[in-house]
Amino acid sequence: MSKQAWVFPGQGSQSLGMLGELVAEFPSILDTFKQASDVLGYDLWHVVQQDEVKLNQTHITQPALLAASYALYKVLVEQGRELPAYMAGHSLGEYSALVCAGVIKFTDAIKLVEARGQFMQEAVPAGTGAMYAIIGLDDDKIIASCEKAQQETREIVAAVNFNSPGQVVIAGTTQAAKIAAEYCKEQGAKRALPLAVSVPSHCALMQPAADKLAVMLESIEFSEPTIPVINNVDVAAPVAPDAIKLALVKQLYSPVRWTETVLELTKNDVSSLYEIGPGKVLTGLVKRIDKNINGEALNSLASLTAQA
């Protein structure tokens, strides 16, 4: 029997004006952003619609994307959509999935991801870390290139986002990441593109951020999920709150195993995957991972008002 999964995007899917065309039809979106703004102490909706510089600051991007994804989730629930068999999220998107699965209260999660963004930024001084998207090279050659660069520089670099076959992101110190990217090109990568990011996410440089996040998580109440959420770290769906918290801590310095996550969903009879949040990044990746999955982003007026 075919099933559906709802997946939630991470950093990089934000855009100025996102969800702006939906509020006339779905005023609850503004209510969701008002809740977030009350927690944050500034007008998050105004930032999302008017201030691109602020929107792209990590500690603001993260709550903005969480609020956008949760607002869309609530619209789908209001529309009477059938809930999915599974949920998952890409990096930050895992927090959106956990909120929608009833694990974390939305207002607690807003505080959590704002702090997560700050912890990540504090862990690595500006200009000392880098990320590259490696296109068209096997995973094992990318991993080997990172290991070679790490040995040569005695600095950190690793493959951190396994997004789809032939699309992997590496992260580390500026020097080590640059050298690893060059080795990837020597190994036959079609492209090695530097990413416009201020934080080298999901590598060992994020350990200080993970330590701070672990302390903060102790004070936040987690519940068992109402819908299984497959996590980035283990490609598993833990139920116990402490196990979910541990996975979120490890996620900061561990790779995002997105290709494996999508394949795990297909093993569990998922044939339709709906992206709940701004953009279409995950929808595009799904087509590269398994062409048999029906992928669709539910974030436009047409898609939100169509019959599920």
Side-chain angles (χ1 to χ4, degrees):
M1 184 177 172
S2 65
K3 299 172 184 175
Q4 58 172 293
W6 290 5
V7 297
F8 301 85
Q11 213 159 324
S13 288
Q14 74 276 9
S15 62
L16 192 68
M18 61 186 183
L19 277 57
E21 77 284 1
L22 300 175
V23 293
E25 184 75 23
F26 306 114
S28 67
I29 290 172
L30 291 179
D31 295 337
T32 300
F33 273 82
K34 173 71 164 57
Q35 273 186 285
S37 298
D38 288 346
V39 170
L40 296 167
Y42 60 86
D43 187 339
L44 183 61
W45 182 253
H46 174 79
V47 170
V48 164
Q49 300 304 310
Q50 304 287 340
D51 196 334
E52 191 166 20
V53 173
K54 279 190 178 175
L55 176 59
N56 288 325
Q57 294 174 10
T58 299
H59 68 288
I60 295 175
T61 307
Q62 298 202 22
L65 281 170
L66 172 60
S69 289
Y70 185 54
L72 289 169
Y73 165 81
K74 287 175 69 177
V75 167
L76 291 166
V77 172
E78 289 164 13
Q79 296 288 97
R81 293 281 183 133
E82 176 191 352
L83 291 175
Y86 297 93
M87 291 182 177
H90 189 287
S91 189
L92 169 75
E94 193 168 306
Y95 289 80
S96 303
L98 291 170
V99 170
C100 296
V103 176
I104 321 173
K105 290 178 185 172
F106 174 61
T107 49
D108 285 344
I110 286 289
K111 292 178 208 166
L112 192 55
V113 299
E114 180 189 39
R116 179 180 183 265
Q118 289 169 336
F119 297 156
M120 290 168 71
Q121 196 67 69
E122 290 163 3
V124 180
T128 62
M131 299 181 79
Y132 288 77
I134 309 299
I135 310 299
L137 188 63
D138 291 345
D139 292 359
D140 56 351
K141 290 183 179 178
I142 297 171
I143 292 166
S145 295
C146 289
E147 288 173 351
K148 186 178 177 184
Q150 203 164 244
Q151 288 169 0
E152 183 179 317
T153 62
R154 299 186 181 276
E155 295 179 8
I156 289 167
V157 62
V160 296
N161 289 358
F162 294 91
N163 288 329
S164 70
Q167 186 181 324
V168 173
V169 175
I170 66 172
T173 65
T174 304
Q175 181 190 18
K178 183 180 180 183
I179 290 171
E182 289 168 357
Y183 285 146
C184 286
K185 285 194 279 189
E186 287 175 10
Q187 288 293 309
K190 290 177 184 173
R191 302 179 82 183
L193 305 170
L195 301 181
V197 295
S198 58
V199 173
S201 304
H202 301 292
C203 70
L205 295 171
M206 288 294 110
Q207 185 66 57
D211 295 342
K212 292 177 183 175
L213 185 71
V215 173
M216 187 172 182
L217 282 168
E218 289 175 11
S219 64
I220 294 177
E221 183 181 350
F222 276 44
S223 303
E224 293 188 359
T226 56
I227 293 169
V229 176
I230 297 179
N231 68 30
N232 291 180
V233 168
D234 307 309
V235 195
V239 172
D242 284 349
I244 296 171
K245 288 183 180 184
L246 179 59
L248 290 177
V249 172
K250 289 168 66 178
Q251 187 214 59
L252 272 179
Y253 58 82
S254 304
V256 175
R257 297 162 62 185
W258 191 250
T259 300
E260 290 175 82
T261 297
V262 173
L263 294 176
E264 180 67 19
L265 290 169
T266 64
K267 286 180 198 169
N268 287 282
D269 300 320
V270 168
S271 59
S272 296
L273 192 146
Y274 296 104
E275 184 168 2
I276 317 300
K280 298 180 179 179
V281 171
L282 301 182
T283 305
L285 294 178
V286 164
K287 291 173 183 172
R288 296 193 194 102
I289 296 168
D290 189 335
K291 290 182 171 62
N292 295 317
I293 300 180
N294 170 47
E296 184 184 356
L298 301 182
N299 54 24
S300 66
L301 197 55
S303 63
L304 292 169
T305 52
Q307 290 298 312

mmCIF file of all heavy atoms in Angstrom, residues 192-221:
data_model
loop_
_atom_site.group_PDB
_atom_site.id
_atom_site.type_symbol
_atom_site.label_atom_id
_atom_site.label_comp_id
_atom_site.label_asym_id
_atom_site.label_seq_id
_atom_site.Cartn_x
_atom_site.Cartn_y
_atom_site.Cartn_z
ATOM 1 N N ALA A 192 32.936 22.150 -8.350
ATOM 2 C CA ALA A 192 33.137 22.295 -6.905
ATOM 3 C C ALA A 192 32.827 23.755 -6.584
ATOM 4 O O ALA A 192 33.656 24.635 -6.789
ATOM 5 C CB ALA A 192 34.563 21.924 -6.511
ATOM 6 N N LEU A 193 31.608 23.984 -6.131
ATOM 7 C CA LEU A 193 31.088 25.347 -6.009
ATOM 8 C C LEU A 193 31.153 25.839 -4.571
ATOM 9 O O LEU A 193 30.552 25.229 -3.669
ATOM 10 C CB LEU A 193 29.623 25.392 -6.470
ATOM 11 C CG LEU A 193 29.332 24.869 -7.877
ATOM 12 C CD1 LEU A 193 27.834 24.745 -8.091
ATOM 13 C CD2 LEU A 193 29.948 25.798 -8.910
ATOM 14 N N PRO A 194 31.865 26.952 -4.301
ATOM 15 C CA PRO A 194 31.832 27.520 -2.941
ATOM 16 C C PRO A 194 30.435 28.039 -2.631
ATOM 17 O O PRO A 194 29.782 28.652 -3.479
ATOM 18 C CB PRO A 194 32.851 28.658 -3.012
ATOM 19 C CG PRO A 194 32.994 28.988 -4.458
ATOM 20 C CD PRO A 194 32.701 27.744 -5.231
ATOM 21 N N LEU A 195 29.952 27.756 -1.432
ATOM 22 C CA LEU A 195 28.612 28.181 -1.032
ATOM 23 C C LEU A 195 28.671 29.470 -0.222
ATOM 24 O O LEU A 195 29.601 29.679 0.559
ATOM 25 C CB LEU A 195 27.932 27.080 -0.208
ATOM 26 C CG LEU A 195 27.765 25.725 -0.905
ATOM 27 C CD1 LEU A 195 27.046 24.744 0.020
ATOM 28 C CD2 LEU A 195 27.008 25.861 -2.222
ATOM 29 N N ALA A 196 27.679 30.299 -0.408
ATOM 30 C CA ALA A 196 27.620 31.583 0.302
ATOM 31 C C ALA A 196 27.027 31.365 1.691
ATOM 32 O O ALA A 196 25.857 31.662 1.955
ATOM 33 C CB ALA A 196 26.788 32.581 -0.491
ATOM 34 N N VAL A 197 27.824 30.790 2.577
ATOM 35 C CA VAL A 197 27.379 30.527 3.948
ATOM 36 C C VAL A 197 28.397 31.106 4.927
ATOM 37 O O VAL A 197 29.576 31.257 4.601
ATOM 38 C CB VAL A 197 27.210 29.013 4.212
ATOM 39 C CG1 VAL A 197 26.091 28.442 3.356
ATOM 40 C CG2 VAL A 197 28.507 28.263 3.960
ATOM 41 N N SER A 198 27.916 31.416 6.119
ATOM 42 C CA SER A 198 28.809 31.986 7.132
ATOM 43 C C SER A 198 29.268 30.934 8.141
ATOM 44 O O SER A 198 30.129 31.201 8.969
ATOM 45 C CB SER A 198 28.097 33.123 7.871
ATOM 46 O OG SER A 198 26.899 32.666 8.467
ATOM 47 N N VAL A 199 28.699 29.720 8.058
ATOM 48 C CA VAL A 199 28.990 28.684 9.045
ATOM 49 C C VAL A 199 29.242 27.353 8.331
ATOM 50 O O VAL A 199 28.437 26.941 7.502
ATOM 51 C CB VAL A 199 27.789 28.519 10.017
ATOM 52 C CG1 VAL A 199 28.002 27.333 10.931
ATOM 53 C CG2 VAL A 199 27.580 29.787 10.838
ATOM 54 N N PRO A 200 30.354 26.655 8.635
ATOM 55 C CA PRO A 200 30.606 25.331 8.056
ATOM 56 C C PRO A 200 29.841 24.245 8.828
ATOM 57 O O PRO A 200 30.370 23.609 9.735
ATOM 58 C CB PRO A 200 32.123 25.175 8.207
ATOM 59 C CG PRO A 200 32.453 25.977 9.420
ATOM 60 C CD PRO A 200 31.479 27.120 9.473
ATOM 61 N N SER A 201 28.596 24.051 8.459
ATOM 62 C CA SER A 201 27.690 23.193 9.229
ATOM 63 C C SER A 201 28.048 21.708 9.135
ATOM 64 O O SER A 201 28.655 21.263 8.168
ATOM 65 C CB SER A 201 26.261 23.374 8.721
ATOM 66 O OG SER A 201 25.882 24.725 8.765
ATOM 67 N N HIS A 202 27.633 20.969 10.170
ATOM 68 C CA HIS A 202 27.644 19.498 10.196
ATOM 69 C C HIS A 202 29.027 18.865 10.153
ATOM 70 O O HIS A 202 29.164 17.705 9.788
ATOM 71 C CB HIS A 202 26.752 18.930 9.084
ATOM 72 C CG HIS A 202 25.331 19.368 9.194
ATOM 73 N ND1 HIS A 202 24.506 18.961 10.221
ATOM 74 C CD2 HIS A 202 24.598 20.216 8.422
ATOM 75 C CE1 HIS A 202 23.313 19.524 10.071
ATOM 76 N NE2 HIS A 202 23.352 20.303 9.002
ATOM 77 N N CYS A 203 30.060 19.617 10.522
ATOM 78 C CA CYS A 203 31.386 19.015 10.659
ATOM 79 C C CYS A 203 31.854 19.198 12.105
ATOM 80 O O CYS A 203 31.173 19.820 12.920
ATOM 81 C CB CYS A 203 32.377 19.625 9.676
ATOM 82 S SG CYS A 203 32.854 21.331 10.031
ATOM 83 N N ALA A 204 33.039 18.661 12.397
ATOM 84 C CA ALA A 204 33.542 18.661 13.779
ATOM 85 C C ALA A 204 33.751 20.061 14.346
ATOM 86 O O ALA A 204 33.818 20.230 15.575
ATOM 87 C CB ALA A 204 34.838 17.863 13.851
ATOM 88 N N LEU A 205 33.843 21.077 13.486
ATOM 89 C CA LEU A 205 33.969 22.461 13.967
ATOM 90 C C LEU A 205 32.738 22.912 14.759
ATOM 91 O O LEU A 205 32.796 23.904 15.482
ATOM 92 C CB LEU A 205 34.198 23.409 12.792
ATOM 93 C CG LEU A 205 35.513 23.221 12.020
ATOM 94 C CD1 LEU A 205 35.509 24.070 10.756
ATOM 95 C CD2 LEU A 205 36.712 23.572 12.895
ATOM 96 N N MET A 206 31.639 22.183 14.612
ATOM 97 C CA MET A 206 30.392 22.542 15.299
ATOM 98 C C MET A 206 30.262 21.897 16.688
ATOM 99 O O MET A 206 29.233 22.053 17.340
ATOM 100 C CB MET A 206 29.194 22.143 14.439
ATOM 101 C CG MET A 206 28.983 23.006 13.209
ATOM 102 S SD MET A 206 28.543 24.713 13.633
ATOM 103 C CE MET A 206 30.050 25.561 13.124
ATOM 104 N N GLN A 207 31.297 21.195 17.136
ATOM 105 C CA GLN A 207 31.217 20.556 18.459
ATOM 106 C C GLN A 207 30.908 21.554 19.588
ATOM 107 O O GLN A 207 30.071 21.269 20.456
ATOM 108 C CB GLN A 207 32.515 19.804 18.761
ATOM 109 C CG GLN A 207 32.488 19.011 20.062
ATOM 110 C CD GLN A 207 31.509 17.859 20.042
ATOM 111 O OE1 GLN A 207 31.602 16.995 19.177
ATOM 112 N NE2 GLN A 207 30.560 17.832 20.981
ATOM 113 N N PRO A 208 31.540 22.749 19.613
ATOM 114 C CA PRO A 208 31.184 23.709 20.671
ATOM 115 C C PRO A 208 29.706 24.111 20.642
ATOM 116 O O PRO A 208 29.084 24.294 21.691
ATOM 117 C CB PRO A 208 32.090 24.918 20.379
ATOM 118 C CG PRO A 208 33.225 24.360 19.584
ATOM 119 C CD PRO A 208 32.641 23.252 18.768
ATOM 120 N N ALA A 209 29.141 24.238 19.446
ATOM 121 C CA ALA A 209 27.724 24.564 19.325
ATOM 122 C C ALA A 209 26.864 23.416 19.851
ATOM 123 O O ALA A 209 25.848 23.629 20.525
ATOM 124 C CB ALA A 209 27.370 24.860 17.865
ATOM 125 N N ALA A 210 27.275 22.184 19.550
ATOM 126 C CA ALA A 210 26.538 21.008 20.010
ATOM 127 C C ALA A 210 26.538 20.930 21.542
ATOM 128 O O ALA A 210 25.519 20.584 22.159
ATOM 129 C CB ALA A 210 27.146 19.742 19.411
ATOM 130 N N ASP A 211 27.665 21.260 22.160
ATOM 131 C CA ASP A 211 27.743 21.237 23.628
ATOM 132 C C ASP A 211 26.767 22.228 24.247
ATOM 133 O O ASP A 211 26.082 21.918 25.231
ATOM 134 C CB ASP A 211 29.175 21.553 24.078
ATOM 135 C CG ASP A 211 30.177 20.487 23.663
ATOM 136 O OD1 ASP A 211 29.751 19.365 23.339
ATOM 137 O OD2 ASP A 211 31.388 20.791 23.655
ATOM 138 N N LYS A 212 26.674 23.429 23.656
ATOM 139 C CA LYS A 212 25.735 24.439 24.170
ATOM 140 C C LYS A 212 24.287 24.019 23.929
ATOM 141 O O LYS A 212 23.418 24.223 24.777
ATOM 142 C CB LYS A 212 26.001 25.796 23.502
ATOM 143 C CG LYS A 212 27.315 26.436 23.894
ATOM 144 C CD LYS A 212 27.522 27.742 23.130
ATOM 145 C CE LYS A 212 28.864 28.375 23.449
ATOM 146 N NZ LYS A 212 29.117 29.586 22.626
ATOM 147 N N LEU A 213 24.035 23.428 22.760
ATOM 148 C CA LEU A 213 22.681 22.981 22.446
ATOM 149 C C LEU A 213 22.232 21.895 23.420
ATOM 150 O O LEU A 213 21.081 21.886 23.872
ATOM 151 C CB LEU A 213 22.626 22.454 21.010
ATOM 152 C CG LEU A 213 21.237 22.053 20.512
ATOM 153 C CD1 LEU A 213 20.363 23.273 20.293
ATOM 154 C CD2 LEU A 213 21.337 21.252 19.212
ATOM 155 N N ALA A 214 23.150 20.980 23.765
ATOM 156 C CA ALA A 214 22.817 19.896 24.697
ATOM 157 C C ALA A 214 22.352 20.446 26.040
ATOM 158 O O ALA A 214 21.381 19.945 26.629
ATOM 159 C CB ALA A 214 24.026 18.984 24.885
ATOM 160 N N VAL A 215 23.016 21.500 26.504
ATOM 161 C CA VAL A 215 22.622 22.122 27.782
ATOM 162 C C VAL A 215 21.231 22.734 27.667
ATOM 163 O O VAL A 215 20.381 22.549 28.541
ATOM 164 C CB VAL A 215 23.654 23.197 28.195
ATOM 165 C CG1 VAL A 215 23.163 23.967 29.418
ATOM 166 C CG2 VAL A 215 25.012 22.553 28.472
ATOM 167 N N MET A 216 20.972 23.437 26.577
ATOM 168 C CA MET A 216 19.664 24.076 26.394
ATOM 169 C C MET A 216 18.534 23.049 26.273
ATOM 170 O O MET A 216 17.433 23.261 26.786
ATOM 171 C CB MET A 216 19.698 24.972 25.160
ATOM 172 C CG MET A 216 18.435 25.806 24.999
ATOM 173 S SD MET A 216 18.601 27.020 23.669
ATOM 174 C CE MET A 216 16.984 27.824 23.810
ATOM 175 N N LEU A 217 18.818 21.941 25.605
ATOM 176 C CA LEU A 217 17.789 20.916 25.408
ATOM 177 C C LEU A 217 17.317 20.307 26.725
ATOM 178 O O LEU A 217 16.182 19.829 26.821
ATOM 179 C CB LEU A 217 18.320 19.817 24.485
ATOM 180 C CG LEU A 217 18.345 20.149 22.993
ATOM 181 C CD1 LEU A 217 19.155 19.120 22.226
ATOM 182 C CD2 LEU A 217 16.932 20.232 22.432
ATOM 183 N N GLU A 218 18.193 20.328 27.729
ATOM 184 C CA GLU A 218 17.811 19.769 29.034
ATOM 185 C C GLU A 218 16.595 20.475 29.627
ATOM 186 O O GLU A 218 15.826 19.884 30.376
ATOM 187 C CB GLU A 218 18.989 19.849 30.008
ATOM 188 C CG GLU A 218 20.127 18.892 29.685
ATOM 189 C CD GLU A 218 21.314 19.089 30.606
ATOM 190 O OE1 GLU A 218 21.185 19.812 31.621
ATOM 191 O OE2 GLU A 218 22.388 18.517 30.311
ATOM 192 N N SER A 219 16.420 21.751 29.282
ATOM 193 C CA SER A 219 15.338 22.537 29.888
ATOM 194 C C SER A 219 14.065 22.562 29.041
ATOM 195 O O SER A 219 13.091 23.216 29.406
ATOM 196 C CB SER A 219 15.818 23.979 30.105
ATOM 197 O OG SER A 219 16.088 24.596 28.849
ATOM 198 N N ILE A 220 14.060 21.851 27.905
ATOM 199 C CA ILE A 220 12.900 21.881 27.009
ATOM 200 C C ILE A 220 12.199 20.527 27.021
ATOM 201 O O ILE A 220 12.841 19.482 26.912
ATOM 202 C CB ILE A 220 13.332 22.271 25.579
ATOM 203 C CG1 ILE A 220 13.846 23.712 25.593
ATOM 204 C CG2 ILE A 220 12.172 22.134 24.592
ATOM 205 C CD1 ILE A 220 14.361 24.218 24.289
ATOM 206 N N GLU A 221 10.882 20.580 27.154
ATOM 207 C CA GLU A 221 10.097 19.346 27.229
ATOM 208 C C GLU A 221 9.871 18.770 25.832
ATOM 209 O O GLU A 221 9.426 19.468 24.924
ATOM 210 C CB GLU A 221 8.736 19.639 27.885
ATOM 211 C CG GLU A 221 7.876 18.407 28.077
ATOM 212 C CD GLU A 221 6.525 18.709 28.700
ATOM 213 O OE1 GLU A 221 6.313 19.852 29.157
ATOM 214 O OE2 GLU A 221 5.677 17.796 28.712
#
